[in-house]
Amino acid sequence: MKKMLNNRYEILDKIGDGGMAFVYKARCTILNRVVAIKVLRPEFSDDEEFLLKFKNEALASAGLAHPNIVNIYDVGQDEDINYIVMEYVDGMNLKDLIKKKGALDYSYALDIMKQIAMALNQAHKNGIVHRDIKPHNILISKDNLAKVADFGIAKATTSSTITVVGNVIGSVHYFSPEQARGGYIDKTSDLYSLGIVLYEMLAGKVPFKGDTPVNIALKHINEDIDFEKDIPTDIPKDIKGLLYKLTQKKQSDRYQNAYELINDIEHIENNIELDFEEDYELYHTQKLDSLNEELKASISKEIKEEGANTNMRKKSKNKISSKKKMTILGVLFALILSFSITFIAYNLKDLFITKNYEMPDFENNTLEDATSRLESIGVSVQVRNELYDSAVEKNHIIDQIPAAGSSIRKGQTVKFDVSKGGEPVTVPNLVRKTLDSAENILKESDLKEGVIDYEFSSLPEGTIISQKPRAFTEVEEGTGIDFIVSKGEEVKLVRVPDLVGKTLEDARILLVDLGIGKIKYEENKNKKEGVILNQSLKGGQHVEEGKKIDLIVNEYKEEKVEEPSKKIIEKQISFALSEEEQTVRVVVKEGNGAKAIYDKTINVQESGNMITVPIQGYEGETKEYEIYVDNAFYAKTTAEFK
Ligand code: ATP
Ligand code: MG
């Protein structure tokens, strides 16, 4: 097989192998999507008429846009390779599914039936009969969507390929009697085949088997389906009724269109009883009369056709088998009779034995819990919808049919809408935002605050350092986002030493990690002088490193003699310096030379040689002043304060 078709489709893997074609998984390089490509087997490529049919039929079904129909994208030819490009369904075909799992759960089977019926309804409305409804042509995606493939293509194959290609034997198991006879085919023929598909889903095997396609086809014409043999007994009788009506030999006895079938499936799903019983009896009597004629007619017709078309070996074999069939006709009647009797008996038994229960309220319970409770009383559970609902936890029940308090019975199916949790939303980035602003952002994104932890950080206090889940990930609506928030720089706590009674010097040594604040002096004659009387931070507690502590230190006040208030008088003394020097230091001392009241270096040139010095004394006092120039005694004077 070529790696590339028309420079556009890159062949990836072979995924299927049918009667007239191979199916490949491929990539469309223009639209960059995965597609399935059905390539006609080379032996058909030369047959012009066949090719034309193949293409025309593919194009006819290309107009059928429906979620349960495999979409056709393109029809093409690359050299002698003829192909159809279609939607790729990731999953498996129903035949393989049944092979793998055996008989399917009836509510699951009913769900698939409904989806196929919807596809058929769409096709029939558009005047297209499928003609090859069989499990191989029903693809089940990974999320249980059923999609019907090969619409209309079958028309090009059935009549001409039945004896040519071995694989088509598969199809004959699902042929309607009219198809087997080569009679007039209409939409009810698809519904018959669908009935056989339902039988296979419920029983795990097809109703008629045989050595040759002709044998099997004859059985579809002549033999009744045995519902008692392979269909599990716990299948609700309405589903059996549905199967029965689908597989009627006479086209007019079947559902007349897919819509009627959908309607009945929905009734069963909603536990509304169908009125099949009467129909059964009608069918039985009718069939007992007409079957004889029909059988005889069909068999003789079959023999004629075989004689005209095929070799002698087959012909003689069929003659023998048809004779045999005539002789077992009586047995067949007996079988049908006994079947109808057991069937009615079965239904009667069902009517009397079935116990009724009250449907509990399962809202907000887990699906698992509800299923195990219901299955324990023989009631099946089906999930009708999986919905996003942030108010109901994932896998918990949102809604139920029937409502709580309704009567339910064994064999019935109840349906639930189950929550998928909240809708997915993208987590916003909140790192480096403040906790306050995060609250609003979360609200807008339909998320909420999760667990908040605080850590020291160089980021300002209240700033988000990190978040979980991370930004731009997808989470369920209503999910809590956890944060780590900064509580500012780390502070070290230190213990405050007890300083009362210690000296200021000791305090300086003890206060290694703390500072000394204001020092106040107070007098307490009962304590030693110089000791600390009080401290602003109590000893023993822990405070931030580097904090300042105020202290009160004991200081004895000097006993000062109250001096009588005397009047202070201000005066000045003046003297002239010799002009010889440029710069001189002038010092004036008061009293007996102890205290300098004036000490200045003077530039005589600039400020002149006259010096005036302010002095003061109490009224009535007399003071002596000595003047030194450049440290040498210069003059002496006395001032009287009056
Ligand atoms: P027949 O030739 O009678 O139709 P068939 O249906 O088995 O028999 P194909 O239609 O050629 O043969 O398909 C072969 C297989 O390829 C299918 O059974 C299915 O498993 C797979 N297949 C077909 N179409 C697709 C598709 N669109 N997506 C995925 N798989 C597919
Ligand atoms: Mg197919």
Side-chain angles (χ1 to χ4, degrees):
M1 182 62 196
K2 290 174 81 163
K3 270 269 145 274
M4 199 77 159
L5 289 180
N6 279 335
N7 247 337
R8 172 168 184 178
Y9 301 107
E10 183 197 347
I11 303 294
L12 304 172
D13 296 309
K14 188 168 172 186
I15 47 177
D17 197 342
M20 65 165 183
F22 299 113
V23 180
Y24 297 91
K25 184 177 176 179
R27 174 181 304 282
C28 168
T29 55
I30 292 180
L31 297 173
N32 192 28
R33 63 178 173 190
V34 171
V35 294
I37 297 191
K38 183 166 226 180
V39 176
L40 201 61
R41 282 175 180 268
E43 57 259 42
F44 292 103
S45 308
D46 300 333
D47 186 335
E48 284 296 319
E49 198 195 329
F50 189 91
L51 253 174
L52 200 69
K53 273 185 184 172
F54 175 75
K55 286 180 187 167
N56 284 346
E57 295 294 347
L59 286 176
S61 62
L64 295 175
H66 191 272
N68 299 112
I69 295 176
V70 173
N71 225 336
I72 302 287
Y73 297 144
D74 192 11
V75 178
Q77 186 174 5
D78 185 350
E79 293 172 1
D80 56 350
I81 299 172
N82 290 280
Y83 62 86
I84 296 170
V85 183
M86 57 190 158
E87 173 187 1
Y88 169 69
V89 181
D90 191 9
M92 60 165 76
N93 70 49
L94 184 57
K95 186 78 187 176
D96 291 342
L97 188 79
I98 296 170
K99 263 191 220 156
K100 195 174 141 198
K101 298 198 168 172
L104 305 177
D105 184 67
Y106 64 77
S107 53
Y108 183 73
L110 210 60
D111 182 55
I112 290 179
M113 282 295 285
K114 188 168 149 188
Q115 295 186 57
I116 306 167
M118 285 187 183
L120 287 180
N121 190 42
Q122 172 83 354
H124 293 167
K125 273 196 311 196
N126 285 282
I128 295 173
V129 176
H130 190 289
R131 292 165 177 259
D132 196 15
I133 288 292
K134 58 177 179 178
H136 319 66
N137 282 338
I138 295 160
L139 305 175
I140 310 289
S141 75
K142 282 184 174 152
D143 41 7
N144 290 320
L145 246 150
K147 287 180 186 264
V148 183
D150 294 355
F151 258 100
I153 297 171
K155 196 175 179 182
T157 68
T158 49
S159 53
S160 56
T161 57
I162 179 162
T163 48
V164 183
V165 183
N167 277 43
V168 182
I169 294 171
S171 297
V172 85
H173 286 116
Y174 308 91
F175 273 6
S176 58
E178 61 274 18
Q179 223 166 348
R181 269 200 315 266
Y184 176 73
I185 290 169
D186 66 6
K187 53 192 174 188
T188 65
S189 313
D190 279 349
L191 295 176
Y192 177 92
S193 302
L194 185 55
I196 305 298
V197 172
L198 176 60
Y199 182 98
E200 190 176 358
M201 285 197 280
L202 298 175
K205 52 171 98 166
V206 289
F208 300 125
K209 290 193 173 145
D211 309 333
T212 64
V214 177
N215 262 341
I216 299 164
L218 275 171
K219 285 186 181 168
H220 279 287
I221 299 167
N222 302 323
E223 288 183 24
D224 256 330
I225 294 172
D226 186 348
F227 289 86
E228 294 305 292
K229 200 171 103 218
D230 294 317
I231 304 277
T233 48
D234 64 343
I235 302 286
K237 65 178 188 338
D238 279 350
I239 297 185
K240 282 188 188 166
L242 196 114
L243 179 59
Y244 193 81
K245 193 162 175 178
L246 280 167
T247 53
Q248 285 305 299
K249 306 282 183 210
K250 265 175 84 176
Q251 279 154 284
S252 60
D253 286 343
R254 297 176 202 150
Y255 283 103
Q256 289 307 292
N257 54 55
Y259 188 75
E260 280 180 9
L261 170 63
I262 296 168
N263 232 355
D264 270 7
I265 294 175
E266 282 181 345
H267 274 67
I268 295 176
E269 284 177 338
N270 292 318
N271 301 305
I272 301 167
E273 260 186 59
L274 296 173
D275 204 12
F276 279 128
E277 279 98 327
E278 272 176 55
D279 286 345
Y280 284 145
E281 282 173 79
L282 262 174
Y283 286 140
H284 286 287
T285 46
Q286 265 180 12
K287 219 164 42 205
L288 289 175
D289 296 336
S290 61
L291 196 66
N292 194 0
E293 293 312 309
E294 203 176 83
L295 256 177
K296 272 192 259 172
S298 63
I299 290 165
S300 58
K301 186 171 175 224
E302 193 69 38
I303 295 164
K304 259 184 255 156
E305 279 172 3
E306 283 289 309
N309 296 336
T310 55
N311 60 49
M312 284 305 291
R313 195 181 54 80
K314 261 191 185 162
K315 193 174 137 190
S316 54
K317 196 177 165 197
N318 269 302
K319 257 186 182 163
I320 297 162
S321 63
S322 61
K323 265 186 203 153
K324 249 193 219 160
K325 277 200 178 77
M326 294 300 277
T327 55
I328 58 163
L329 240 172
V331 183
L332 201 68
F333 288 154
L335 271 175
I336 293 163
L337 259 174
S338 71
F339 163 72
S340 52
I341 290 162
T342 42
F343 197 91
I344 291 164
Y346 174 79
N347 285 327
L348 281 174
K349 179 189 91 199
D350 217 36
L351 267 178
F352 290 116
I353 291 175
T354 306
K355 202 176 150 194
N356 285 316
Y357 300 92
E358 191 176 292
M359 175 74 169
D361 182 3
F362 284 116
E363 275 172 38
N364 280 312
N365 284 27
T366 65
L367 178 65
E368 209 188 344
D369 184 34
T371 308
S372 74
R373 281 174 63 189
L374 288 166
E375 282 181 350
S376 70
I377 55 165
V379 172
S380 302
V381 167
Q382 195 190 346
V383 175
R384 184 176 62 168
N385 289 309
E386 284 186 292
L387 306 165
Y388 289 119
D389 190 335
S390 59
V392 179
E393 242 182 279
K394 197 174 170 176
N395 293 329
H396 284 59
I397 290 161
I398 304 171
D399 206 358
Q400 61 182 52
I401 293 174
S406 317
S407 151
I408 50 170
R409 63 191 152 71
K410 194 178 165 199
Q412 187 175 334
T413 303
V414 300
K415 292 207 258 175
F416 291 119
D417 288 346
V418 178
S419 175
K420 291 200 275 185
E423 223 165 310
V425 289
T426 307
V427 177
N429 180 29
L430 298 165
V431 172
R432 289 185 182 269
K433 303 227 154 62
T434 64
L435 195 53
D436 290 346
S437 62
E439 252 171 58
N440 286 329
I441 299 171
L442 286 178
K443 222 178 263 167
E444 278 168 26
S445 314
D446 290 323
L447 296 167
K448 60 175 197 218
E449 245 174 45
V451 180
I452 300 178
D453 271 332
Y454 291 86
E455 272 179 17
F456 293 114
S457 153
S458 54
L459 290 175
E461 200 180 325
T463 312
I464 292 167
I465 305 168
S466 65
Q467 66 181 75
K468 212 172 136 188
R470 293 216 316 266
F472 311 119
T473 48
E474 294 260 295
V475 296
E476 243 180 55
E477 173 190 19
T479 300
I481 308 294
D482 298 344
F483 301 120
I484 296 180
V485 177
S486 169
K487 51 178 175 177
E489 300 261 14
E490 178 163 15
V491 275
K492 211 173 115 193
L493 291 183
V494 291
R495 190 177 180 278
V496 179
D498 219 331
L499 299 171
V500 174
K502 307 223 154 59
T503 64
L504 205 48
E505 247 166 62
D506 289 345
R508 283 190 215 283
I509 296 163
L510 287 167
L511 291 172
V512 219
D513 297 321
L514 295 171
I516 292 182
K518 285 182 211 138
I519 301 174
K520 257 172 69 185
Y521 292 92
E522 272 176 21
E523 186 181 50
N524 185 338
K525 286 279 185 187
N526 302 322
K527 302 262 168 72
K528 266 215 288 202
E529 182 162 30
V531 298
I532 292 163
L533 295 174
N534 209 348
Q535 58 191 81
S536 61
L537 300 170
K538 239 178 96 191
Q541 67 173 322
H542 286 83
V543 295
E544 271 172 47
E545 181 185 37
K547 251 199 156 172
K548 293 217 159 108
I549 176 164
D550 298 340
L551 299 170
I552 297 174
V553 179
N554 198 11
E555 186 190 57
Y556 291 167
K557 300 245 163 71
E558 268 175 49
E559 241 141 275
K560 277 180 190 145
V561 193
E562 269 294 297
E563 275 188 53
S565 61
K566 283 182 192 166
K567 201 178 164 195
I568 291 171
I569 295 180
E570 295 185 341
K571 290 183 85 172
Q572 55 195 34
I573 47 171
S574 302
F575 50 92
L577 299 170
S578 79
E579 287 173 31
E580 289 153 28
E581 305 289 336
Q582 271 220 337
T583 321
V584 288
R585 183 180 170 205
V586 178
V587 176
V588 178
K589 289 182 174 177
E590 191 191 278
N592 40 12
K595 204 169 154 194
I597 57 156
Y598 184 90
D599 186 345
K600 264 186 183 168
T601 301
I602 288 155
N603 187 326
V604 181
Q605 244 77 61
E606 280 174 15
S607 44
N609 64 339
M610 274 307 291
I611 304 290
T612 303
V613 177
I615 54 169
Q616 53 176 231
Y618 293 115
E619 191 177 21
E621 200 181 10
T622 305
K623 282 184 181 173
E624 277 190 345
Y625 296 92
E626 287 172 350
I627 299 155
Y628 295 81
V629 175
D630 284 343
N631 291 328
F633 180 74
Y634 182 70
K636 199 177 185 177
T637 181
T638 309
E640 246 183 83
F641 295 94
K642 293 187 198 164

